[in-house]
Amino acid sequence: MSGKEYQSVLIPKYLHDFSCQGSQCEDCCCCFGWIVSIDQKTSDKYLKVTDPELKPLLEEYIVKDDQCQTNSHYKILKTLEGGRCPFLNENKLCNIQCKLGEDYLSEICSVFPRHANLIDGVLEGSGTLGCPEMARLILLNPQTIEFDHIDEWPHIHYLILSSIDTKSSPVTKYFWPLRIFTIKVLQDRSYTLWERLMFLSIFYNRTHQVSNNYKEIENFIDEYDRLLSDCNTVKNILSGIPAANHIQVKLIKSIIDLRYLHKGQIYGSRYLECYNEFLMGLNFSDGRNWDDILCDFDKTLQDIVKPWLEKNEYIFENYLVNYVFKELVPLRNDSTFFESFCMMILHYAYVSLLLVGIAAYHKGITDEIIIKLFQSFSRTVEHTPSYINDIYTLFKREVFFSASLYRCHN
């Protein structure tokens, strides 16, 4: 983004404390498993590099892409087998940055793990959990995520990933009311997290039922906002919703089955370690009865996860609030409000189920386990759209707002 093309900047407060400059290590998502676009300005710089170690690598791995012929997507970085970046040195640090400086990083690499959207002329900065340090700042703060309006966002190149003009259509005009309401519910700690998610799912399902009559949405927000303040009534209603354990089993089975169908895309040693610990923790093996697997799942839930969650539920709250802000829920891509919300729930349910299996494997949960899981999940699963979309397609036939998807930890 050249020049000041925005009115102001809105950022979560955790960004004030983030100090990592660009893509520096193998653990960062943009160094592993992403298709990294190289902008024309950076490409021109690479043509002039004379370093005897970097020059042949730049010529071999920075190539033209016929499908990406814009200034921002002029060439692409080819990765090594398994998705590893060819410019990582023996210390697993970015050799381009180490030898030439941050100015020689591409726009995408220099921005990562920061994320920028433009909403009504306001630049919104956030962070992706693909960086371990960013994941720490986002997840491990027991306070609710707060946001600051600032005039500038210093020391960063701006690469706008999404842009919305909320006055452009009858749909987008409800972006702000829905977004504010969603975050308000997610951060209302008078309810357990599953109750907040169940409450939101009922709300979003109702918005889905009105089809294109978007004017009803304002009434729904007012109605559910008033209902939210009546904590006892809401809790009594939600407690009567039965769990459907077969949906948990189906999601676990989908994770396992589709992992093999997408084996060429789902890689990354840290994620595969987490995934294998998940399988071993649930004592999974081909032919094992799914009732037995669910029994092991429920035992870990009761013995390990629930006690841990009583003190650490804010970790998942922070994950969801950051997801809503970064992914522009409920206007994610071209999906409906309800579909956008459901995709968020799928991400939450997926990583929640993985954690249960991993907790069983380690017989406990630590901060390091959380950071490794969420960081590797972000850089691997969240950035493999075909994989997560295939799982979502399977669940579109189910009652997606079933309490089972939210009761993974309760």
Side-chain angles (χ1 to χ4, degrees):
M1 184 174 183
S2 60
K4 185 172 179 179
E5 300 172 7
Y6 54 90
Q7 301 166 8
S8 63
V9 182
L10 179 65
I11 63 170
K13 287 187 175 181
Y14 64 72
L15 279 183
H16 292 305
D17 299 321
F18 182 70
S19 59
C20 177
Q21 296 296 317
S23 55
Q24 295 185 356
C25 64
E26 184 182 39
D27 288 342
C28 277
C29 183
C30 64
C31 292
F32 198 108
W34 263 10
I35 296 176
V36 177
S37 297
I38 307 297
D39 55 282
Q40 186 169 2
K41 182 179 178 181
T42 304
S43 176
D44 292 342
K45 285 183 179 181
Y46 291 164
L47 293 176
K48 300 175 183 178
V49 171
T50 58
D51 182 274
E53 181 182 358
L54 288 178
K55 183 177 175 59
L57 292 176
L58 290 167
E59 291 175 348
E60 180 177 359
Y61 291 102
I62 305 296
V63 299
K64 273 281 186 74
D65 182 3
D66 294 335
Q67 297 180 352
C68 298
Q69 291 299 306
T70 66
N71 288 338
S72 296
H73 304 280
Y74 186 66
K75 293 184 179 180
I76 60 171
L77 166 65
K78 291 196 305 181
T79 57
L80 302 174
E81 183 178 355
R84 190 173 185 271
C85 176
F87 295 101
L88 294 177
N89 61 25
E90 64 277 6
N91 297 317
K92 298 182 180 180
L93 298 176
C94 175
N95 223 7
I96 292 177
Q97 182 164 342
C98 290
K99 288 196 167 195
L100 303 177
E102 188 181 353
D103 288 343
Y104 276 78
L105 293 176
S106 68
E107 287 181 345
I108 286 180
C109 288
S110 64
V111 167
F112 185 86
R114 304 166 184 88
H115 186 105
N117 296 315
L118 192 66
I119 314 296
D120 294 336
V122 176
L123 183 70
E124 294 191 347
S126 58
T128 173
L129 277 70
C131 165
E133 178 58 24
M134 188 71 84
R136 244 175 244 285
L137 289 172
I138 294 171
L139 298 175
L140 299 187
N141 180 9
Q143 306 303 315
T144 57
I145 292 178
E146 297 180 350
F147 301 87
D148 279 344
H149 274 286
I150 57 178
D151 294 330
E152 299 280 353
W153 195 14
H155 312 303
I156 181 172
H157 305 284
Y158 302 114
L159 184 63
I160 304 301
L161 299 178
S162 298
S163 181
I164 295 176
D165 175 4
T166 63
K167 301 178 182 62
S168 63
S169 75
V171 178
T172 55
K173 68 177 290 187
Y174 294 102
F175 170 74
W176 276 108
L178 286 168
R179 183 197 222 186
I180 291 170
F181 179 71
T182 300
I183 292 177
K184 177 182 178 179
V185 175
L186 288 174
Q187 293 185 325
D188 189 339
R189 296 183 180 180
S190 56
Y191 295 92
T192 64
L193 188 57
W194 89 262
E195 288 172 332
R196 296 174 234 172
L197 293 173
M198 195 68 215
F199 184 87
L200 281 172
S201 71
I202 295 170
F203 168 79
Y204 272 103
N205 184 58
R206 193 169 175 190
T207 67
H208 187 59
Q209 290 175 346
V210 300
S211 186
N212 294 325
N213 188 10
Y214 296 109
K215 291 182 180 179
E216 287 291 325
I217 291 175
E218 292 181 8
N219 296 331
F220 291 162
I221 293 175
D222 290 341
E223 176 186 343
Y224 279 78
D225 197 26
R226 289 192 300 271
L227 184 59
L228 189 67
S229 63
D230 189 353
C231 191
N232 290 334
T233 297
V234 173
K235 284 179 173 288
N236 286 335
I237 293 171
L238 296 179
S239 65
I241 298 175
N245 291 338
H246 71 281
I247 296 183
Q248 286 182 347
V249 171
K250 183 175 180 180
L251 181 53
I252 295 172
K253 190 174 187 302
S254 299
I255 291 171
I256 294 170
D257 292 346
L258 290 175
R259 157 72 179 89
Y260 291 102
L261 291 177
H262 292 262
K263 194 171 182 179
Q265 303 174 51
I266 305 295
Y267 43 65
S269 59
R270 284 165 66 86
Y271 174 75
L272 292 180
E273 287 171 6
C274 291
Y275 177 80
N276 289 329
E277 289 173 2
F278 156 74
L279 294 181
M280 290 185 285
L282 296 182
N283 296 311
F284 173 81
S285 61
D286 290 335
R288 187 174 184 231
N289 187 285
W290 282 100
D291 287 339
D292 294 336
I293 292 175
L294 187 60
C295 182
D296 288 343
F297 178 92
D298 287 338
K299 186 176 189 313
T300 302
L301 203 57
Q302 298 298 326
D303 296 347
I304 299 176
V305 179
K306 274 190 175 182
W308 174 86
L309 197 64
E310 288 177 0
K311 298 179 180 179
N312 298 280
E313 195 171 53
Y314 65 85
I315 289 175
F316 287 91
E317 173 194 308
N318 290 341
Y319 170 72
L320 290 164
V321 170
N322 193 69
Y323 183 98
V324 168
F325 186 73
K326 179 172 68 75
E327 298 295 335
L328 304 179
V329 175
L331 286 177
R332 187 180 187 272
N333 299 328
D334 296 324
S335 57
T336 66
F337 297 149
F338 184 64
E339 289 170 341
S340 179
F341 172 78
C342 286
M343 185 59 78
M344 179 192 77
I345 293 303
L346 179 57
H347 282 79
Y348 159 77
Y350 189 154
V351 75
S352 297
L353 289 171
L354 288 178
L355 180 61
V356 175
I358 293 168
Y361 176 81
H362 288 281
K363 297 180 172 54
I365 302 171
T366 65
D367 287 352
E368 293 310 309
I369 287 173
I370 289 294
I371 296 306
K372 180 179 179 180
L373 170 60
F374 277 89
Q375 181 268 331
S376 63
F377 178 82
S378 175
R379 80 175 190 177
T380 304
V381 176
E382 288 185 0
H383 294 104
T384 310
S386 59
Y387 176 58
I388 204 75
N389 287 337
D390 280 353
I391 296 177
Y392 177 71
T393 299
L394 291 175
F395 279 83
K396 286 177 74 172
R397 302 187 188 96
E398 301 284 352
V399 181
F400 209 106
F401 55 100
S402 165
S404 290
L405 287 172
Y406 314 133
R407 280 177 167 160
C408 294
H409 293 152
N410 293 94

